[in-house]
Amino acid sequence: MTEPFAPDTDRLTRFLLPHAGVRGVRVHLTDAWQQVRANGPYPAAIEEMLGEACAAAALFTGHAKVEGRLSVQLRASGALRTLFAECTAAGTIRGIARFDPDRAASMTRDLRDLGEGALLALTIENPSKGREPMRYQGLVSLDSEALSGAFEDYFRQSEQLPTRVLLAVDGGHAAGLMVQRLPGDEGDADGWNRISTLFDTLSTSELLRWPGETLLTRLFSEDEPQLLGERPLQFGCSCSRERVEAMIASLGPDEARAAVIDGEAHVVCEFCGRDYRFSPDEVERVLRASDEAVDAPARTQ
């Protein structure tokens, strides 16, 4: 009999394995991932990669200091053009993939087949006191077959710490598990080797179906795992009418007016499907407001 999927879904859990000197994060998505994939349909290989990227983006917000948003972005020039997943500090997730439909059916999930010039980046944007957010971006090597291996290599190289990552997607569910050795000499001498060996026994099916408590107790019971905190995850899009207005203004007068077709400009958010409509008068108002902002004289505050 097949085990049901984990009941404690759409949740991020941080934990500690004190005897081994290892920290970890577990993520499980159901509703959040189903709302992301509703933007499809996507070919099977691309849908699996997008689900893994969504799980990874959420996973890494439990590891890094993220006060704004963390994104995973893959760009290529073959069947897959763009893969983007984002998780905010508030636990909202969104993602999208763009691809060539004529070539995507035969695409594999092997990152090494993405073609010359493919690029995978991990980006953190945190708010700052200035107008622009503080932005950190790290490039991820595409020498591994799968995203999990690519991220393991990235964290080992960027943080100089042994790291394991497992990502899984199955139907309407996506999940991730990450463990990393703590910096310093914490834990017993064989701690990391023991945890890494146990990590290798976990299947993607178990990662998807086991509740968080079951996963930790079955896999790491001898190391007496300690929960460090949990938070809910949900689908959420940062689009707004104000942002769409800014986009229309950025087109310039000619293109903005040309976007009015059959009496209105029509913009649909690619992430959530929200429909924004602007009458010709509203487009003119947006352009006037943009001109006034540019022409406003500088004043001493």
Side-chain angles (χ1 to χ4, degrees):
M1 180 177 178
T2 303
E3 291 184 77
F5 283 95
D8 58 339
T9 191
D10 293 307
R11 186 180 303 180
L12 179 151
T13 304
R14 296 172 55 246
F15 61 91
L16 178 69
L17 304 174
H19 300 312
V22 172
R23 59 187 171 189
V25 186
R26 177 253 188 189
V27 159
H28 197 285
L29 306 173
T30 298
D31 291 344
W33 164 232
Q34 288 174 359
Q35 291 186 65
V36 169
R37 69 195 288 260
N39 284 312
Y42 295 114
I46 291 177
E47 181 172 289
E48 289 181 12
M49 292 177 68
L50 180 58
E52 289 183 353
C54 287
L59 199 66
F60 301 153
T61 63
H63 168 72
K65 184 178 181 181
V66 178
E67 298 172 347
R69 63 189 72 243
L70 182 149
S71 64
V72 172
Q73 185 167 15
L74 176 60
R75 292 182 180 177
S77 57
L80 178 64
R81 301 295 172 78
T82 301
L83 187 77
F84 178 88
E86 176 188 85
C87 184
T88 68
T92 58
I93 294 171
R94 65 176 185 167
I96 196 169
R98 299 187 183 94
F99 58 94
D100 180 346
D102 295 329
R103 303 168 64 183
S106 59
M107 175 183 162
T108 72
R109 296 183 65 255
D110 193 328
L111 298 180
R112 297 166 295 187
D113 293 338
L114 289 174
E116 187 175 354
L119 184 69
L120 177 60
L122 185 64
T123 305
I124 296 174
E125 290 186 1
N126 287 328
S128 68
K129 295 181 180 179
R131 293 185 60 185
E132 296 297 322
M134 295 180 62
R135 190 168 184 265
Y136 166 80
Q137 184 174 79
L139 299 182
V140 183
S141 169
L142 294 174
D143 296 329
S144 296
E145 177 181 355
L147 284 173
S148 55
F151 288 127
E152 285 184 352
D153 293 341
Y154 171 78
F155 282 108
R156 277 197 296 263
Q157 294 168 11
S158 66
E159 300 186 3
Q160 306 293 309
L161 293 170
T163 304
R164 301 300 309 275
V165 177
L166 181 63
L167 302 169
V169 179
D170 184 359
H173 307 265
L177 180 68
M178 174 180 180
V179 292
Q180 185 180 71
R181 186 174 181 177
L182 288 167
D185 298 324
E186 300 184 50
D188 60 68
D190 191 52
W192 174 252
N193 290 334
R194 181 174 66 254
I195 297 305
S196 186
T197 299
L198 292 170
F199 188 95
D200 285 332
T201 67
L202 181 68
S203 69
T204 55
S205 176
E206 291 166 340
L207 176 59
L208 286 162
R209 286 176 164 77
W210 284 356
E213 183 178 355
T214 302
L215 186 153
L216 295 179
T217 54
R218 288 192 185 183
L219 203 60
F220 307 123
S221 59
E222 293 184 5
D223 282 271
E224 300 179 354
Q226 299 176 4
L227 293 183
L228 299 180
E230 295 184 324
R231 61 183 170 92
L233 301 168
Q234 61 183 343
F235 176 81
C237 188
S238 59
C239 73
S240 67
R241 192 171 182 85
E242 290 73 19
R243 289 193 173 193
V244 176
E245 288 180 358
M247 182 274 292
I248 291 174
S250 71
L251 295 175
D254 293 340
E255 287 191 48
R257 290 171 181 138
V260 177
I261 300 173
D262 295 331
E264 64 181 2
H266 185 203
V267 180
V268 177
C269 177
E270 293 181 293
F271 290 96
C272 67
R274 186 174 177 182
D275 193 352
Y276 296 91
R277 296 173 184 267
F278 296 82
S279 69
D281 287 343
E282 289 173 322
V283 171
E284 293 300 324
R285 176 185 59 78
V286 169
L287 293 173
R288 286 197 302 272
S290 178
D291 287 341
E292 290 171 1
V294 171
D295 294 338
R299 291 181 295 175
T300 302
Q301 301 296 319

